[in-house]
Amino acid sequence: MHTFTSAFSSEWLKTRHSAASWLVLTGAFFVPLITLIISFNQGDNLPGFYQLADFWERSFLYQWQSVGPFLLPMGVILATSLIAQTEFRNNSWKLVHVLPQSYATTYAAKLLVVLVMMLQFFVLFNIGIYISSLIPALVLSDVDLPAESYPWQLFSAHNLYFYLDCLPIIALQFMLSLRFRNFVVPVGAGFACIIATLFAVKWKYGYLLPYSYTTLYYFGMNQEIKTSAPVSFHWFAAGYFVLLTVLSYVLYRTAREKG
């Protein structure tokens, strides 16, 4: 356990002031900031909107409409690739592998850093949603605070499912990023998968695509969008994550040249 803790601490230190850290920070507050700017241009509609019985649900759904289907998968692809390829950019894989720790420890520590950073994004994004929704009511005299109390439990459940549904993307991008030295390859493959998924997500077998689950979940939240996805697609997400993580480790462990 001490070896793994040291390995994780070492990997986490590599992310300080890195592009991945800035990507998580700016990505988490980008949509709330845009939403806040739009809110101040709503004019006479804003006071009535804040008194709706489902104000928080509408605000949450509105801010997730671009994040769930597109920005979240795109951010996962970039952040995962940046973290997984740190040693490629610094030509330091040999230094990592001479450390007194197993390949499994190195792999698990690096993957855990990605998972923790994505958790960090979710926390910051939800803070951004909450603050950007409250500021107009605190600044504008004709806008009262929301009549509805903040539904913490409901939103926590939504975030848990979104996090689960982005795990297959993390696993696949992690595998590609460790496999190919060129940063463009995993990122390009990931973006191509996002585009393909957006076209195929309403296909009756769209739930078989590992990049589709955040989009499907958002569609499920938005009752105006109908899909044929089965209720159990979260199990597909979990299964893909386990399968791809195991496959990724096997490829990493058996590679002749590791970096």
Side-chain angles (χ1 to χ4, degrees):
M1 180 59 70
H2 175 71
T3 301
F4 179 79
T5 303
S6 298
F8 175 79
S9 298
S10 176
E11 293 294 335
W12 186 258
L13 285 173
K14 295 176 186 178
T15 67
R16 293 182 61 184
H17 308 298
S18 68
S21 295
W22 285 108
L23 179 65
V24 168
L25 182 62
T26 57
F29 291 112
F30 175 74
V31 170
L33 178 60
I34 297 299
T35 302
L36 179 60
I37 294 172
I38 294 174
S39 295
F40 283 112
N41 293 319
Q42 292 298 311
D44 297 335
N45 297 326
L46 205 59
F49 176 65
Y50 268 70
Q51 296 310 303
L52 291 175
D54 59 347
F55 164 78
W56 283 113
E57 286 84 350
R58 287 174 178 262
S59 180
F60 187 84
L61 185 66
Y62 179 77
Q63 299 210 40
W64 270 103
Q65 69 179 349
S66 58
V67 175
F70 183 68
L71 293 180
L72 177 59
M74 186 173 68
V76 168
I77 289 169
L78 289 172
T80 303
S81 299
L82 286 168
I83 295 171
Q85 292 211 323
T86 300
E87 282 72 24
F88 282 129
R89 295 192 301 275
N90 299 332
N91 293 317
S92 58
W93 269 118
K94 292 182 178 179
L95 295 176
V96 172
H97 290 143
V98 298
L99 295 174
Q101 61 190 37
S102 65
Y103 289 126
T105 298
T106 301
Y107 177 89
K110 187 174 285 291
L111 179 59
L112 184 58
V113 166
V114 178
L115 295 175
V116 172
M117 288 196 72
M118 291 315 305
L119 182 62
Q120 185 181 47
F121 166 82
F122 276 83
V123 172
L124 293 175
F125 179 55
N126 280 270
I127 291 174
I129 291 176
Y130 186 74
I131 293 176
S132 65
S133 298
L134 284 183
I135 286 178
L138 297 175
V139 173
L140 302 177
S141 59
D142 60 337
V143 179
D144 295 326
L145 289 171
E148 179 194 20
S149 60
Y150 190 82
W152 292 99
Q153 291 183 336
L154 175 62
F155 289 171
S156 296
H158 283 320
N159 279 276
L160 179 62
Y161 281 121
F162 270 120
Y163 186 79
L164 171 64
D165 293 337
C166 75
L167 291 182
I169 306 176
I170 292 176
L172 186 52
Q173 290 301 139
F174 196 72
M175 179 176 68
L176 293 175
S177 298
L178 290 180
R179 192 68 177 174
F180 298 99
R181 176 184 293 271
N182 191 333
F183 179 77
V184 175
V185 175
V187 172
F191 284 176
C193 288
I194 290 177
I195 295 173
T197 297
L198 291 176
F199 280 106
V201 72
K202 289 192 176 182
W203 176 43
K204 65 178 180 179
Y205 297 117
Y207 62 88
L208 296 176
L209 304 174
Y211 287 71
S212 68
Y213 303 119
T214 58
T215 303
L216 288 174
Y217 189 67
Y218 173 76
F219 286 175
M221 289 171 55
N222 190 339
Q223 298 179 358
E224 297 179 359
I225 304 176
K226 304 299 182 182
T227 66
S228 58
V231 177
S232 59
F233 68 81
H234 299 299
W235 289 104
F236 283 88
Y240 267 126
F241 175 69
V242 173
L243 178 63
L244 291 171
T245 299
V246 172
L247 176 60
S248 176
Y249 173 70
V250 171
L251 292 175
Y252 165 72
R253 183 68 179 82
T254 58
R256 291 184 179 181
E257 294 186 9
K258 299 177 179 61

